Amino acid sequence: MGLSDWISRFDPEYEIDRVEKFIARKKSDIGFKKGIIGLSGGIDSSLTTVLAKRALSNRQIEVVFLPEATTPDVDRNDVERLARAFDLNVRTIELDGLVSVFEEKTGELPELAEANLKARIRMVVLYALANRSGGLVIGTGNLSEWLLGYFTKYGDGAADLAPLTHLYKSELLPIAKHLEVPESIITKPPSAGLWDGQTDEEELGGSYDQIDRVLYLKHDLAYDLKEAKEELDFDPAFVEDIYAMVERTSHKREEPAGLTRSRTVKDS
């Protein structure tokens, strides 16, 4: 399937069924008691939550909203909208106190380091809840973020199950519309909300529609950089940046680097 008909032929019903069966199968295979999900009010975590509820039930998921000082009101409102629309039980845990405790020990951190700290604190809380309930953390990342390395290592990139990491960000929109996720969530500019005014697309230098077209050529069709620049009517520098970002962040998608095991005793 070429670039021209990739999105037009995308089948949301097929993917909804596939994701729900994956979650249910892992519940059966592993035997975890609950799926723990961090809900942010964005489209990724909203879809993960809705699909997990459909696959399991309200009793078998624990949905947690983890806001802090820079969390915009629109995200708080969208969490409430999603909860009402899908009859979700959402627990809110404010993170400001936890962030302050860390920074008392580390000293003041640069903006990016503080943003990564918040993402890692969120995951610490989710895993603590999972340990208490015999649950597993269900991640909310997508394939676009995964390939770009656009996640915090051991923060939002950490999870036990990752039901959306085979889907590009652009592919989540038709699924959300099919499931009737609130329109405010679908149309909201993607943002991790880690500092005031932050948006994903501004940081990445292009829209997800543009980014995903580049990633589709590289990841799905195995185009090299020269072929991708010829295929796309984009600024060549933008295509180069996306290819470079994928390569530059490869360490975030791999196990920690180490030595391979060889002989363990001296020759006699």
Side-chain angles (χ1 to χ4, degrees), residues 59-206:
R59 291 184 300 102
Q60 295 180 323
I61 62 172
E62 185 169 356
V63 185
V64 190
F65 179 46
L66 298 159
E68 43 77 37
T70 62
T71 301
D73 289 341
V74 66
D75 286 348
R76 294 176 184 270
N77 295 337
D78 281 337
V79 165
E80 293 178 5
R81 287 189 185 97
L82 190 78
R84 289 195 301 269
F86 291 93
D87 190 28
L88 299 167
N89 300 319
V90 181
R91 177 182 179 185
T92 298
I93 300 176
E94 300 282 348
L95 290 188
D96 290 326
L98 291 174
V99 175
S100 298
V101 168
F102 269 87
E103 293 194 327
E104 284 174 10
K105 301 297 183 182
T106 63
E108 185 176 354
L109 296 170
E111 187 175 57
L112 180 58
E114 183 180 85
N116 286 330
L117 172 64
K118 292 172 184 177
R120 291 182 176 120
I121 289 174
R122 285 190 172 98
M123 197 51 66
V124 166
V125 172
L126 294 179
Y127 268 98
L129 296 175
N131 288 160
R132 185 174 68 184
S133 65
L136 293 182
V137 174
I138 300 180
T140 63
N142 59 65
L143 180 58
S144 307
E145 295 169 342
W146 183 251
L147 292 175
L148 293 171
Y150 193 64
F151 57 88
T152 298
K153 197 171 186 179
Y154 307 120
D156 53 316
D160 299 305
L161 304 181
L164 299 185
T165 49
H166 66 297
L167 295 170
Y168 291 107
K169 187 81 166 188
S170 303
E171 294 171 326
L172 301 185
L173 297 176
I175 295 177
K177 290 176 181 177
H178 188 83
L179 291 172
E180 299 183 344
V181 168
E183 189 69 16
S184 59
I185 295 175
I186 295 174
T187 58
K188 180 170 55 181
S191 170
L194 297 175
W195 58 77
D196 290 332
Q198 181 264 339
T199 68
D200 296 357
E201 294 179 343
E202 184 177 342
E203 271 198 276
L204 294 169

